Amino acid sequence: MKKINILSASLALILFINLKADAQIKLSDIFKKVTEKQGTASTTGTPSSFEIGQGIKEALQIGVSAGADRLSVKDGFLGNLAVKILMPPEAQKVERTLRGIGLNKLCDNVIVSLNRAAEDAATEAKPIFISAIKQMTLADASNILLGNNDAATAYFKRVTTAQLLQKFSPIVTTSLSKVNATKYYSDLTTQYNRLPLVKPVNTNLTEYVTQKAIDGLFIEVAKEELKIRGNINSRSTTLLQKVFGYADKKKG
């Protein structure tokens, strides 16, 4: 009789364990399905105005930071053909003439120093862009999201150009002197102006390099904007997936 009781208890225990395990599996399956459903729901649907604003600001902060960081390091301008600063247009004839008489090193020194000055100035760009993002209204964000592929870049040009010019100009002036660009360019134009029958060349290097540095920044910002609009893998957060997925549907 005792053996029967022990056997019954053992069978009951085994049955209880199996039922419990089965219940846990079912609960696990249910939880998984609910989680998957919630995850899907969070990346779809119509985002609120607040979500659009936050999504655009998040995307632009990532983009402008990446663009500014690329340009503010050594060879950020010089090693990037899309933004590399060449000799001023009015001095390109000078460059050809001087290279033709063997003064390649002098011309190279000028070009390198112009780009180094722009790289120095680019270090100040990020805080200006971030400030513009923080001041962005919900209407600005919505217009950017549903606007043209360069809507964000156009926004930055409109609200940051004056501040960038003001901030960059003294930095470029200092940098041009620090990297000897002013001296190199003076040597170059002096050599050229000594040649017979040439029209003297005199360029405001600070204005030229400042504008080129700003142009380069906007080129990089535009690249980042296209990337996040067109490359789904660049939408690294749930919010970005939802906001830009909504934009894709609206435009598609």
Side-chain angles (χ1 to χ4, degrees), residues 20-120:
K20 186 176 179 182
D22 189 48
Q24 286 180 333
I25 292 170
K26 288 179 180 178
L27 284 173
S28 175
D29 289 342
I30 292 169
F31 179 75
K32 184 178 179 183
K33 288 178 181 178
V34 170
T35 303
E36 287 174 351
K37 187 175 182 181
Q38 287 176 340
T40 303
S42 65
T43 60
T44 59
T46 302
S48 66
S49 296
F50 177 77
E51 286 177 316
I52 289 174
Q54 292 302 107
I56 285 294
K57 288 180 179 183
E58 181 181 326
L60 294 182
Q61 187 158 330
I62 293 170
V64 300
S65 295
D69 287 346
R70 278 199 300 271
L71 294 182
S72 60
V73 298
K74 184 178 179 181
D75 292 337
F77 273 86
L78 188 65
N80 183 340
L81 292 180
V83 298
K84 180 180 178 180
I85 301 176
L86 304 177
M87 205 75 76
E90 63 271 25
Q92 288 176 8
K93 182 180 178 182
V94 179
E95 180 183 8
R96 288 193 297 270
T97 301
L98 294 181
R99 288 189 185 279
I101 59 175
L103 296 176
N104 291 316
K105 181 65 174 176
L106 178 59
C107 296
D108 292 340
N109 285 340
V110 172
I111 292 172
V112 170
S113 60
L114 297 182
N115 285 274
R116 292 289 180 258
E119 289 156 10
D120 269 359

Side-chain angles (χ1 to χ4, degrees), residues 82-185:
V83 298
K84 180 180 178 180
I85 301 176
L86 304 177
M87 205 75 76
E90 63 271 25
Q92 288 176 8
K93 182 180 178 182
V94 179
E95 180 183 8
R96 288 193 297 270
T97 301
L98 294 181
R99 288 189 185 279
I101 59 175
L103 296 176
N104 291 316
K105 181 65 174 176
L106 178 59
C107 296
D108 292 340
N109 285 340
V110 172
I111 292 172
V112 170
S113 60
L114 297 182
N115 285 274
R116 292 289 180 258
E119 289 156 10
D120 269 359
T123 59
E124 298 296 323
K126 191 190 296 186
I128 294 174
F129 283 134
I130 299 300
S131 176
I133 292 170
K134 289 179 179 177
Q135 295 170 23
M136 186 181 291
T137 67
L138 292 179
D140 289 329
S142 183
N143 289 337
I144 288 171
L145 178 66
L146 301 177
N148 295 330
N149 285 339
D150 64 346
T153 306
Y155 168 82
F156 282 123
K157 285 182 179 180
R158 177 167 56 85
V159 302
T160 67
T161 296
Q163 194 176 356
L164 288 169
L165 283 167
Q166 184 180 22
K167 189 75 173 179
F168 277 25
S169 185
I171 296 171
V172 168
T173 298
T174 301
S175 295
L176 288 172
S177 178
K178 183 177 74 176
V179 298
N180 290 323
T182 307
K183 177 183 180 301
Y184 290 139
Y185 192 71

